[in-house]
Amino acid sequence: MVTIKSAAEVAKMREAGKVVAEILAATSAAAKPGVTTGELDRIAREIIERRGAASNFLDYQPSPHVNPYPGTICTSVNSEVVHGIPSARRKLKDGDVLAIDAGAIVDGWHADAAITVAVGTPSEKVTRLIAVTREALRRAIAAARVGARLGDIGHAVQSYVEGEGYGVVRHYGGHGIGRAMHEDPHVPNLGTPDRGAPIREGMCLALEPMVNVGRPETRVLADGWTVVSEDSSLSAHFEHTIWCTSEGPVVLTDPGSGADERIGRELGTLRRVPA
Ligand code: MF3
Ligand code: CO
């Protein structure tokens, strides 16, 4: 069931979104050669605790056949696409591409976002992969207009990414978000314009293109979580939680500025992505 969120509800999701943005800023700043992904997870845990939030990733169990997720963030390195498990044994090295996915719950309301960064000095290949995936998310958000359809979002991502010669991961996608981290609808990163469910005023969506330098196919490692590209090619992931309004999509997981503190009284101060 697709639910519609009020401005008051979205104000709480924005609070969760600010915690997520803080986690992404702190962990990406700390992601230097020699640092472990386990250390990044500790930084995320401390921020959640300091902000009085809760983790929606830790112990997440999509089905009884899967082990509860053991981290507060996902850290996916190089050919890892998503859901890489942070580890004290995984040291980042110069040139790695690192996707960090983070979520938080405030007063029962969820936010979810991801960024990809280069560790140390990036190769041209890594720089371009990150730029294309970030732009794919920007286009997805711009396509999420009230009155458009989910296929418009998928088409915006797929046509751009494939035009750049990369593979769009098909097996995973975006999702509704609110009282739960994963709500209806599923939001594929591929599609046909003017097809799929309509985007309605008040919907909250987590949009998250995953892009492989090579083929789009993926597989899951024996740990039950880590998704890797089948052809071992490098992969990147960006995600934002957005609120769909008649004035355009509002990004709830943006770092924002001081003006955003007025959220709740003045939702109009949030950053809107131009159509
Ligand atoms: N951000 C991921 C998503 O959008 C959720 C991470 S799965 C978890 O589906 F197990 F790490 F929580
Ligand atoms: Co998500």
Side-chain angles (χ1 to χ4, degrees):
M1 190 187 60
V2 173
T3 59
I4 297 305
K5 278 81 176 178
S6 69
E9 292 169 338
V10 167
K12 295 198 179 136
M13 291 179 67
R14 173 58 179 155
E15 291 306 317
K18 281 198 262 183
V19 176
V20 171
E22 183 179 349
I23 292 170
L24 293 177
T27 53
S28 60
K32 301 272 192 261
V35 172
T36 69
T37 54
E39 169 67 11
L40 303 183
D41 197 63
R42 187 186 61 77
I43 292 170
R45 225 165 36 235
E46 285 173 2
I47 291 171
I48 294 239
E49 195 168 321
R50 196 178 322 132
R51 298 297 173 214
S55 175
N56 37 14
F57 285 22
L58 187 64
D59 293 329
Y60 177 68
Q61 196 172 19
S63 90
H65 312 285
V66 180
N67 294 329
Y69 186 73
T72 298
I73 56 174
C74 303
T75 50
S76 307
V77 184
N78 295 335
S79 62
E80 295 170 1
V81 178
V82 285
H83 304 168
I85 299 172
S87 163
R89 296 187 311 273
R90 183 74 188 249
K91 242 187 208 168
L92 296 169
K93 30 180 226 319
D94 191 59
D96 279 347
V97 50
L98 168 70
I100 306 170
D101 192 343
I105 312 170
V106 170
D107 286 343
W109 291 92
H110 291 244
D112 183 11
I115 56 173
T116 298
V117 294
V119 178
T121 310
S123 64
E124 194 56 42
K125 189 178 177 181
V126 164
T127 302
R128 185 165 165 263
L129 170 66
I130 291 174
V132 167
T133 312
R134 182 191 287 113
E135 172 65 12
L137 174 59
R138 197 195 64 76
R139 289 177 184 229
I141 295 170
R145 289 193 313 276
V146 170
R149 291 173 181 269
L150 294 184
D152 295 306
I153 297 176
H155 178 75
V157 171
Q158 183 182 18
S159 59
Y160 170 67
V161 170
E162 291 181 353
E164 294 294 321
Y166 290 149
V168 185
V169 173
R170 282 135 215 268
H171 201 264
Y172 304 86
H175 47 92
I177 181 168
R179 284 280 195 195
M181 174 162 63
H182 293 135
E183 295 185 352
D184 289 338
H186 175 68
V187 187
N189 288 310
L190 63 170
T192 307
D194 216 26
R195 296 285 181 85
I199 297 164
R200 298 190 195 286
E201 170 117 56
M203 277 174 56
C204 288
L205 301 174
L207 303 179
E208 48 181 320
M210 288 147 267
V211 174
N212 295 347
V213 165
R215 304 266 325 146
E217 290 81 12
T218 58
R219 65 190 170 88
V220 179
L221 297 186
D223 64 20
W225 279 103
T226 310
V227 177
V228 298
S229 59
E230 183 86 57
D231 63 4
S232 299
S233 65
L234 295 179
S235 188
H237 176 213
F238 279 85
E239 177 177 20
H240 267 311
T241 295
I242 67 161
W243 184 38
C244 302
T245 80
S246 55
E247 291 159 72
V250 177
V251 178
L252 301 177
T253 39
D254 205 63
S257 62
D260 286 344
E261 300 307 320
R262 295 195 295 272
I263 175 80
R265 283 183 286 131
E266 220 182 315
L267 281 163
T269 58
L270 279 178
R271 197 183 85 164
R272 287 199 158 83
V273 176

